[in-house]
Structures are given as C-alpha cells and as structure tokens.
Amino acid sequence: MLFGLGKLFYVILLLINAVAVLSEERFLSRIGLGKSSNDANNGFYGQQENTTKSKVIQLIGAVQTLLRIPLIGINILVIIYELLLG
C-alpha cells in the first residue's frame, strides 16, 4: 500500500506543525493574514464577518493557541518511535 494511515498521520502532523510555527510579524502580516488585519474587517458592533479570510485567521490563531503544548508531546513521541522502530 503506497499511502497508508501512518503516512496520512505524518502529513497531518507536519501541516499542523507548519501552521503552529507561523510568525505573525514576519510572515502573516505581510500576506494580510495577521490578527491586526482582521480587526479592520470587523462587522457591526464587533461581530466578525463570515469571510474565508477571517475564518483562516481564526483557524491559525486557534491552532497556535490550543495545539502548541500538545504538539510538543506528540512530536517527541513520533521522534522516539522513529528512532526506535523507524
């Protein structure tokens, strides 16, 4: 089997790691995905618009906030697994 569940897990893990390490000052603000650019796109009375851009900004912020600590443990487990059995 060319593409199994293990490879799919590695791809998902690498993509989540890539989103988690994005720097807002160095990268995201340059392409218009920083949190400061989202403040300018707020709707009436602080409600955010339901645009794709605002949802991507929220997703990046959520991944960086919620998954940073668990990713450390998951990455350590994957590294140990690869060293011992890989």
Side-chain angles (χ1 to χ4, degrees), residues 13-14 17 70-80:
L13 182 64
L14 288 174
N17 279 325
L71 273 176
I72 295 170
I74 294 169
N75 285 325
I76 288 172
L77 289 174
V78 168
I79 290 170
I80 292 172

Side-chain angles (χ1 to χ4, degrees), residues 4-30:
L5 289 177
K7 300 282 183 183
L8 181 65
F9 173 73
Y10 285 149
V11 168
I12 291 171
L13 182 64
L14 288 174
L15 289 175
I16 293 173
N17 279 325
V19 170
V21 299
L22 287 176
S23 172
E24 183 176 352
E25 296 86 23
R26 296 177 73 188
F27 180 72
L28 293 176
S29 62
R30 289 184 184 176

Side-chain angles (χ1 to χ4, degrees), residues 8-66:
L8 181 65
F9 173 73
Y10 285 149
V11 168
I12 291 171
L13 182 64
L14 288 174
L15 289 175
I16 293 173
N17 279 325
V19 170
V21 299
L22 287 176
S23 172
E24 183 176 352
E25 296 86 23
R26 296 177 73 188
F27 180 72
L28 293 176
S29 62
R30 289 184 184 176
I31 61 172
L33 291 177
K35 291 178 185 167
S36 59
S37 65
N38 192 27
D39 293 340
N41 294 332
N42 284 344
F44 296 105
Y45 304 111
Q47 294 178 349
Q48 295 184 352
E49 297 178 5
N50 287 331
T51 62
T52 305
K53 180 180 175 182
S54 67
K55 288 185 180 191
V56 168
I57 292 170
Q58 291 173 356
L59 177 65
I60 291 172
V63 167
Q64 289 178 343
T65 303
L66 298 174

